[in-house]
Amino acid sequence: MVRRALTGIKPTGEPHVGNWLGAIRPALELADSYETFYFIADYHALNIIYDAGSLRQNSLSIAATYLAFGLDPNRSVFYRQSDIPEVFELAWILACFTPKGLMNRAHSYKDAVAKNLAAEKDPDFNINMGLYSYPVLMAADILLFSANVVPVGADQKQHVEIARDIAERINHNYGEALFTLPEPKIDDQVKTIVGLDGRKMSKSYDNTIPLFLDEKPLLKRINQVVTNSQAPDEPKDPDQSSVFQLHKLLLTQAEETALRARYQAGGMGWGQAKKDYFDALNARLEGPRKEYRRLLADPAALNAILAQGRDKARAQASPFLDKVRGAIGIR
Ligand code: TRP
């Protein structure tokens, strides 16, 4: 039987090269070997985005991003979390089987508490129940669709384990395999994608390369990649170069070997190395950039695609939730 992969995408802002190579590309590749479910986790973003316009816009733009990079809504189920009421009912059911201590141990909650304590604030300062019960909602996303594998970044691994833990408790209590136990799938080859300053590419470091810049600002951004002060004729160590680290993510093994040799031979200045990276990146972004803009200019069409995904998703979610209700004695 074909196994099912499901992943949620939090609509938190302008997507960048790190998101593409670290999350979007590996997630979309799964459609070749799994039955795939992708959704916009808009209710997970409500936790941090309290501006209606931004939440609405970010959701559309992340949907357009995935479509622009090749998500095929006829081959995958692609929907908005908020369009599936079954998720929220299941979240309550799961909450009633979730030990509070399990949530106390969740990394993101623990980090927030630790930050408060370090700042000598009340441990719960600024922590809402959305953050605290975030893993329960995520478990509902996953368990509602009986996902076998959940592709996520390393920071989300614990959340998938929590979903599994909750599922096991419920299965055990009712003596039947109601829920499929999900496994996290972490792509470690692309774990860390360096940003302009050599640290991990991240919005919080302001070192990203946004995906949908026009060519000129894109080149300008790439020219900001930090390099050492070696002269053009000097041989360069590709493993110490952020430009190379970024460029190689776009190359086949043979191309990477050839580029490596060019760095090591000397005679190529940093300006040239960056220009070459720009050319390679721009060639791959040109098509998606056009498609992204086309989709965003037509929100009605975008919403129609998501509505079609909603219908496909609910056709599975609704009978499944009925079965869960029956099993727990709610009718
Ligand atoms: N929490 C995930 C993140 O921040 C997004 C997410 C929500 C998710 N629900 C999910 C991922 C279910 C996988 C499965 O990236």
Side-chain angles (χ1 to χ4, degrees):
M1 219 176 82
V2 189
R3 306 216 310 153
R4 183 173 287 181
L6 170 145
T7 197
I9 310 139
K10 211 164 150 180
T12 45
E14 201 180 12
H16 56 70
V17 164
N19 301 135
W20 171 40
L21 299 172
I24 302 174
R25 189 170 70 174
L28 293 180
E29 280 168 1
L30 295 173
D32 295 333
S33 31
Y34 292 90
E35 184 188 2
T36 38
F37 281 58
Y38 305 103
F39 66 94
I40 312 299
D42 48 359
Y43 265 124
H44 270 118
L46 180 60
N47 199 356
I48 39 172
I49 305 177
Y50 296 132
D51 175 71
S54 309
L55 185 52
R56 197 173 293 122
Q57 196 49 42
N58 288 352
S59 298
L60 284 177
S61 95
I62 203 74
T65 302
Y66 273 70
L67 292 166
F69 279 101
L71 190 159
D72 176 353
N74 295 313
R75 200 156 69 119
S76 303
V77 185
F78 184 44
Y79 56 97
R80 269 195 196 95
Q81 179 189 38
S82 59
D83 277 338
I84 316 296
E86 290 82 1
V87 167
F88 307 94
E89 184 172 338
L90 182 61
W92 177 258
I93 298 171
L94 301 184
C96 296
F97 285 85
T98 306
K100 178 168 173 281
L102 189 61
M103 297 296 92
N104 290 341
R105 290 192 294 276
H107 298 316
S108 43
Y109 169 71
K110 263 177 48 184
D111 288 352
V113 171
K115 273 198 194 121
N116 282 336
L117 292 177
E120 295 182 4
K121 290 186 175 137
D122 185 279
D124 286 333
F125 176 77
N126 240 332
I127 298 179
N128 59 48
M129 286 302 293
L131 172 68
Y132 192 65
S133 13
Y134 188 106
V136 178
L137 182 56
M138 183 158 159
D141 294 329
I142 297 168
L143 300 179
L144 182 61
F145 294 103
S146 308
N148 302 104
V149 300
V150 181
V152 282
D155 62 321
Q156 298 293 315
K157 182 166 178 254
Q158 189 198 27
H159 289 152
V160 182
E161 289 162 356
I162 289 173
R164 201 181 160 92
D165 188 330
I166 300 171
E168 280 178 318
R169 282 165 197 272
I170 299 182
N171 287 352
H172 179 74
N173 187 72
Y174 297 103
E176 62 175 302
L178 269 181
F179 295 115
T180 300
L181 304 184
E183 291 159 35
K185 182 175 185 341
I186 288 138
D187 195 339
D188 38 36
Q189 183 217 329
V190 283
K191 229 177 351 207
T192 345
I193 287 150
V194 296
L196 302 180
D197 57 0
R199 291 186 292 173
K200 177 182 160 78
M201 190 182 292
S202 161
K203 237 178 23 183
S204 43
Y205 295 149
D206 190 21
N207 66 355
T208 67
I209 303 173
L211 283 173
F212 300 119
L213 292 175
D214 276 322
E215 288 184 9
K216 253 187 155 168
L218 179 63
L219 177 59
K220 209 170 140 201
R221 199 73 182 151
I222 287 172
N223 279 328
Q224 288 166 13
V225 178
V226 174
T227 53
N228 62 24
S229 52
Q230 284 183 300
D233 55 317
E234 288 179 74
K236 302 185 172 57
D237 180 354
D239 295 313
Q240 298 298 317
S241 156
S242 298
V243 190
F244 181 80
Q245 296 310 314
L246 285 163
H247 196 159
K248 77 169 188 194
L249 295 169
L250 306 176
L251 304 178
T252 62
Q253 196 56 53
E255 290 167 336
E256 178 183 333
T257 306
L259 185 65
R260 191 172 275 281
R262 281 181 65 212
Y263 272 67
Q264 288 162 339
M268 178 172 69
W270 288 122
Q272 186 62 46
K274 289 174 178 180
K275 177 72 173 57
D276 290 355
Y277 172 51
F278 165 80
D279 287 338
L281 182 64
N282 190 50
R284 284 163 183 78
L285 295 184
E286 245 166 17
R289 184 190 299 139
K290 250 194 225 135
E291 181 60 6
Y292 173 79
R293 290 182 184 167
R294 188 187 72 76
L295 287 162
L296 274 191
D298 189 358
L302 201 46
N303 280 319
I305 293 173
L306 292 168
Q308 181 206 327
R310 172 200 64 207
D311 294 345
K312 282 202 270 179
R314 289 198 70 194
Q316 306 218 13
S318 164
F320 182 77
L321 185 64
D322 270 344
K323 186 172 144 202
V324 175
R325 285 190 190 129
I328 64 176
I330 296 286
R331 265 282 179 240

